[in-house]
Amino acid sequence: MSASAANAPGTRQEESSMSSTLKGLAQAAAIFYVGNFFVQQFVGQKQAAHNVPSFETNTVTNKPITEYASIPQHIAPIWPANSSVDINIYVSPSLAMPGLKHVQDSSLVLKEENFQLGNYSDKRIVDTMFPVPKEAQHNSTLWAHMFIALHGHQLDPKEKDYNVKSAYHCFRPLNQILAKKKVVKTKHLLGGDGEEQEGEATEEKGPVFASYYHPNFTLSFVDNSGVIKFPQMPPASRQHLTLESTGARDDTGQNGWYYPILYLNTFWQLRDHMTELNNTVKTLPLHIDLNNIANWKFNIYASVDENIKANQRQVAMGGPVPAGGDGSEFEEVKRVLVETNIWLLGTTGIVSVFHMIFEMLAFKSDVSHWRHKKDNVGVSVRTILANVFMQVVILLYLIDNMDGTSYMILFGQGMGIVIEAWKITKTVDVRIREAPGSAIPYRIAFEDKHVLSETEKKTQEYDQIAFKYMYMLAVPLLIAYATYSVMYDTHKGWYSFTITTLVGSVYAYGFLMMVPSLYINYRLQSVAHMPARAMTYKFLNTFIDDLFAFTIKMPTLHRLATLRDDFIFFIYIYQSYKYKVDYTRVNEFGQGGDEEELEAKTANEPLKAPADADKAGVVKSRGAEKKGEGKKRR
C-alpha cells in the first residue's frame, strides 16, 4: 500500500514553497551579517578616523571650505541620540504642502509631542479615519507628509521662527501601485448565453495596475545609526534617509549630517488585507504604531522588503521570475508569521524538519522494499495503476495552472509518477501486443512475471473484488460531480473542465485507492507483505500534514483530504496490531526483513580465504570424485 496520491501534491507545494522562501531569508540574513562583520573589521577603523564634528560646533566655527563635495563622504547625526521630538503627519495627494495653518484639520492623522528617541519603552498608538482625496481614487499617490522637530520648536516651514537645525520635513507614500492579479476568464460550457464571467482580467496587453492601500503602518525612528559612509550605504536603506537641508559641510567640505531616520515600515503588510482605491472608497482607516527600532533590524527589514518589491515589479512588467520568486511565496510566509499562534508556529517549524527526514526515510524504505520483493502477495496492481493515473491527472492540473506552480513542484510530481511506474514493472511485465479486430492495432498488456502461487492468485481475486465495489461507489459520484460542475460552474474550456473535474475527484475520493490493500490484508489475515518501515514514516508524516493543514492557507477540500488519510492509517495500525509479524524471522511469504538485509550484507563482504584456496579446493574435489568412482565400481 502506497501513500495516497491526493495527499502529496498540494501539501508538498505549500511546504516546498515555504521552505524555499525561508531558506532564502536565512541566506539573506547570513549574507548581511557576514558582510557587516567584514565591513566592521576592515573598514570600521577607517571610518572611525573620520570624526565628523557636531552640527552646532561646525556652524560656530564657520571656516571657509576650499573643496566642497556635493555628495558627502561621511554623515553624522545632526541631533543627540536621546533627543525628544514632536511629530505631525498630514495626508495629501500633492508633494507641495502649504503652510500648516491653511491645511484642513481632517488631513492631520497624527500629532505626538515629546517622543524620546532611543527609548524603546516609549510607544505611541494612533487610530483614526481620514477622507480619501479624489486624486487618490484615480491611481494617484497618497502622500504622508511628516513634520518633525525637537520638542518645543516650530514644525511649520512657512513660519519665520522655523529653523532647519531643529526641524525637518519628509514624505512617504501610503498607497502602493501594484499589478492586478491575473484572473482567467471563465464561461459556462453548457446552457445560458455562454457569456464570459466578469473578472479583474482585461483584454489589454501587458500588466494592469491599480492603487492599493493598507490601513496598518509602523513608524519607527532608527536608533544608533552613528557615522555613516554615505556613498556605500545600501540603496534600500538610503531611500529612508534625510540629509541636512542646507547642504552644510564640515571644515574639510567632504562630510555632512543627517536627520533622524524615520522608517515607514510596510514589511508586514499583506496583499490580502489591502483595499483597492477607486470611486467607491470615500474614507479610510489608519492605524499607526510609533516606536524606535534598532539599526540592524532596520537594515534587514529595508533590504528584504525592497528586494521582494523589486522582484514583484520585474514579474509584473513581464520579466523572468527571479530565483527568489515573484514574492507570492514570501507573502505566504508573512501571512503564516502574522496570523499563526507563536507556539503553533514554533511547533510547526520543528516538525517541518522531522517531516523532511521522514519523507526521505519513507522514500528510501519504499524503494528498498520493492527492490527486494520476490512475489506479488498482497500487492494491488490496480491500486498502483490508479495511483499513476491520479498523479498524471494532478501533474496536468498543475501545468494547467502554471501561474501558481513552481518548477520544483512539477519536478517532484513527475518523479512520483516515474517511481509508481517503476513499481508496475516490478510487479508485472508490460508488453505491447497486437490487437486483431480492434480499432487500435496494438494494445498494452500486463503479463505475470511467473506462474502465480495460490496466495498470489487469491491476492488478484481479492483485488478484483475490492475494485468492483469501489467502482460501484466512485463512478456514480464522479458522474454526479461532473454533471454539477458542467452545469453550474464556469471553466476556461472543455480540457480545463476535464482536468479540474478529475483532480477534484482525486482529492475527494483518493483515499478509496488505499481500500483494496486494506481489504487484501483482511482476507489474507496478514500484513507481513507490507513495507512496514515505509508505512511507519508515512504515518508520522500524515500527522505532520494535519498540523500544516491548520497553519498553511489551502482550500477546504484539500484540508479535508489531509485528514481523511488518518482514517485509513488508523485501520492499518489496527491490522498491524491484530496480525502481528516478527520481522526478524522469515514470514509465511518467504520474506524476512532483517535476515534479507543480513544476507545482502554477507554477500557483499570481501572474501577472507587465502590466495591458494581455489587450488586446494580443486585437489579435494578431484579426490572426492575418485573416491566416488571407487565406490561405484564396487
Side-chain angles (χ1 to χ4, degrees):
M1 180 172 64
S2 62
S4 173
N7 186 35
T11 305
R12 274 206 306 265
Q13 182 172 356
E14 285 95 1
E15 293 167 10
S16 300
S17 299
M18 188 174 70
S19 61
S20 63
T21 307
L22 288 174
K23 182 180 178 181
L25 290 176
Q27 291 176 345
I31 292 173
F32 173 79
Y33 280 116
V34 172
N36 191 37
F37 172 78
F38 280 102
V39 168
Q40 290 179 353
Q41 292 295 320
F42 298 102
V43 187
Q45 294 180 356
K46 295 180 180 180
Q47 290 185 1
H50 295 278
N51 294 321
V52 182
S54 67
F55 187 75
E56 291 292 340
T57 303
N58 185 76
T59 54
V60 171
T61 57
N62 199 18
K63 295 181 179 179
I65 299 176
T66 57
E67 296 183 3
Y68 180 87
S70 58
I71 299 177
Q73 296 300 307
H74 297 83
I75 52 176
I78 192 172
W79 298 341
N82 59 348
S83 302
S84 295
V85 298
D86 301 333
I87 176 171
N88 286 8
I89 298 179
Y90 295 85
V91 175
S92 173
S94 174
L95 281 176
M97 284 289 291
L100 299 185
K101 293 181 179 180
H102 305 287
V103 177
Q104 296 181 358
D105 294 338
S106 59
S107 63
L108 178 62
V109 294
L110 181 142
K111 183 177 182 179
E112 294 293 331
E113 297 180 352
N114 200 24
F115 179 83
Q116 187 174 2
L117 303 181
N119 184 2
Y120 291 92
S121 61
D122 192 353
K123 299 179 181 179
R124 314 286 176 90
I125 298 176
V126 176
D127 288 286
T128 185
M129 299 282 294
F130 65 92
V132 180
K134 292 183 179 180
E135 296 85 349
Q137 296 176 343
H138 298 86
N139 288 357
S140 177
T141 303
L142 186 63
W143 297 100
H145 289 268
M146 307 172 190
F147 297 89
I148 303 101
L150 293 173
H151 180 55
H153 289 70
Q154 179 60 250
L155 288 167
D156 191 354
K158 303 297 182 180
E159 297 295 328
K160 294 182 180 180
D161 57 344
Y162 181 82
N163 193 335
V164 295
K165 297 181 182 179
S166 57
Y168 69 102
H169 164 231
C170 60
F171 44 85
R172 303 285 185 270
L174 291 180
N175 60 333
Q176 301 182 41
I177 307 299
L178 303 174
K180 287 188 175 183
K181 294 182 179 180
K182 294 181 180 179
V183 178
V184 179
K185 293 277 188 177
T186 58
K187 60 183 178 181
H188 289 287
L189 300 179
L190 294 178
D193 52 6
E195 293 183 356
E196 294 183 348
Q197 296 295 307
E198 295 183 358
E200 295 181 4
T202 64
E203 300 299 330
E204 299 179 9
K205 295 182 179 180
V208 179
F209 294 91
S211 177
Y212 291 89
Y213 170 83
H214 196 286
N216 296 332
F217 292 89
T218 301
L219 200 60
S220 304
F221 283 97
V222 181
D223 180 40
N224 196 24
S225 298
V227 177
I228 302 174
K229 196 168 185 178
F230 186 69
Q232 297 182 2
M233 190 176 184
S237 303
R238 188 191 305 166
Q239 64 180 335
H240 301 283
L241 186 141
T242 304
L243 294 175
E244 192 270 333
S245 57
T246 63
R249 298 290 182 266
D250 64 354
D251 296 341
T252 64
Q254 304 298 311
N255 306 317
W257 296 266
Y258 65 94
Y259 296 106
I261 302 175
L262 187 56
Y263 177 44
L264 186 63
N265 191 353
T266 60
F267 184 85
W268 296 107
Q269 292 183 356
L270 301 179
R271 176 95 179 244
D272 294 341
H273 298 168
M274 292 184 178
T275 302
E276 181 180 351
L277 300 183
N278 50 41
N279 294 330
T280 62
V281 182
K282 303 301 181 181
T283 59
L284 287 173
L286 179 61
H287 175 89
I288 298 178
D289 290 300
L290 181 62
N291 55 31
N292 291 278
I293 187 174
N295 184 53
W296 64 268
K297 189 181 295 186
F298 155 70
N299 283 290
I300 291 180
Y301 275 145
S303 299
V304 175
D305 194 30
E306 182 60 26
N307 181 57
I308 296 300
K309 290 180 179 178
N311 291 347
Q312 290 175 340
R313 289 192 293 267
Q314 177 176 329
V315 175
M317 297 305 297
V321 179
D326 61 352
S328 58
E329 296 89 352
F330 185 72
E331 184 82 1
E332 178 63 20
V333 172
K334 291 197 296 184
R335 190 197 65 80
V336 172
L337 294 175
V338 170
E339 299 180 358
T340 307
N341 180 273
I342 186 63
W343 295 106
L344 181 60
L345 183 63
T347 305
T348 304
I350 294 174
V351 300
S352 297
V353 178
F354 289 101
H355 187 280
M356 291 186 289
I357 295 175
F358 292 148
E359 189 173 4
M360 291 186 294
L361 292 176
F363 174 79
K364 173 182 177 296
S365 300
D366 196 23
V367 173
S368 177
H369 170 81
W370 281 90
R371 284 184 58 193
H372 297 94
K373 194 166 182 60
K374 301 176 182 178
D375 52 40
N376 296 337
V377 173
V379 176
S380 175
V381 180
R382 291 178 176 84
T383 298
I384 301 176
L385 292 172
N387 284 338
V388 173
F389 171 74
M390 289 191 299
Q391 293 203 33
V392 169
V393 168
I394 295 174
L395 178 63
L396 295 176
Y397 175 75
L398 294 176
I399 294 175
D400 191 46
N401 296 270
M402 282 293 293
D403 291 340
T405 307
S406 66
Y407 287 100
M408 182 174 59
I409 301 301
L410 295 176
F411 175 78
Q413 186 65 22
M415 286 299 299
I417 296 174
V418 172
I419 293 173
E420 291 295 328
W422 172 74
K423 290 180 182 180
I424 296 177
T425 62
K426 294 292 293 184
T427 307
V428 294
D429 290 328
V430 182
R431 297 287 186 265
I432 298 178
R433 301 300 186 190
E434 293 184 358
S438 177
I440 302 177
Y442 296 95
R443 63 182 178 86
I444 299 177
F446 300 98
E447 301 174 355
D448 298 324
K449 287 181 174 292
H450 56 268
V451 178
L452 300 181
S453 65
E454 188 65 26
T455 308
E456 289 176 321
K457 291 180 180 178
K458 289 183 179 180
T459 299
Q460 284 191 349
E461 178 185 354
Y462 301 150
D463 188 22
Q464 186 176 1
I465 295 173
F467 263 83
K468 174 184 176 181
Y469 290 106
M470 277 180 50
Y471 289 144
M472 295 173 60
L473 175 63
V475 172
L477 292 175
L478 176 59
I479 295 175
Y481 176 66
T483 303
Y484 175 86
S485 180
V486 75
M487 292 181 63
Y488 297 103
D489 293 338
T490 57
H491 304 276
K492 291 185 292 184
W494 285 103
Y495 172 78
S496 179
F497 157 74
T498 303
I499 296 299
T500 304
T501 302
L502 289 176
V503 81
S505 301
V506 168
Y507 278 124
Y509 318 127
F511 73 100
L512 293 177
M513 293 297 102
M514 304 181 72
V515 174
S517 295
L518 298 178
Y519 180 74
I520 293 173
N521 296 345
Y522 166 71
R523 295 300 297 268
L524 294 178
Q525 298 289 297
S526 174
V527 294
H529 51 272
M530 303 295 293
R533 292 181 180 177
M535 294 302 299
T536 301
Y537 298 137
K538 292 176 181 178
F539 172 73
L540 295 173
N541 267 350
T542 298
F543 283 100
I544 294 176
D545 291 339
D546 296 341
L547 185 61
F548 278 115
F550 291 100
T551 56
I552 297 177
K553 185 179 181 181
M554 62 181 65
T556 304
L557 186 62
H558 182 72
R559 201 181 299 273
L560 295 176
T562 61
L563 299 176
R564 60 137 196 259
D565 292 330
D566 298 339
F567 176 72
I568 298 295
F569 277 116
F570 276 126
I571 297 178
Y572 170 71
I573 290 176
Y574 172 75
Q575 289 181 336
S576 301
Y577 171 77
K578 187 174 183 180
Y579 315 133
K580 294 185 180 297
V581 180
D582 185 359
Y583 291 100
T584 62
R585 302 176 59 187
V586 178
N587 57 45
E588 64 268 31
F589 305 119
Q591 300 173 351
D594 293 348
E595 292 187 2
E596 287 182 357
E597 291 181 3
L598 181 60
E599 291 176 2
K601 292 179 181 178
T602 305
N604 293 328
E605 287 183 356
L607 297 177
K608 300 180 180 179
D612 58 347
D614 293 340
K615 296 180 179 179
V618 172
V619 173
K620 290 181 180 180
S621 64
R622 289 178 178 175
E625 290 176 0
K626 291 181 178 181
K627 291 180 180 180
E629 292 176 358
K631 290 180 181 180
K632 288 181 180 179
R633 288 174 184 175
R634 291 180 183 178

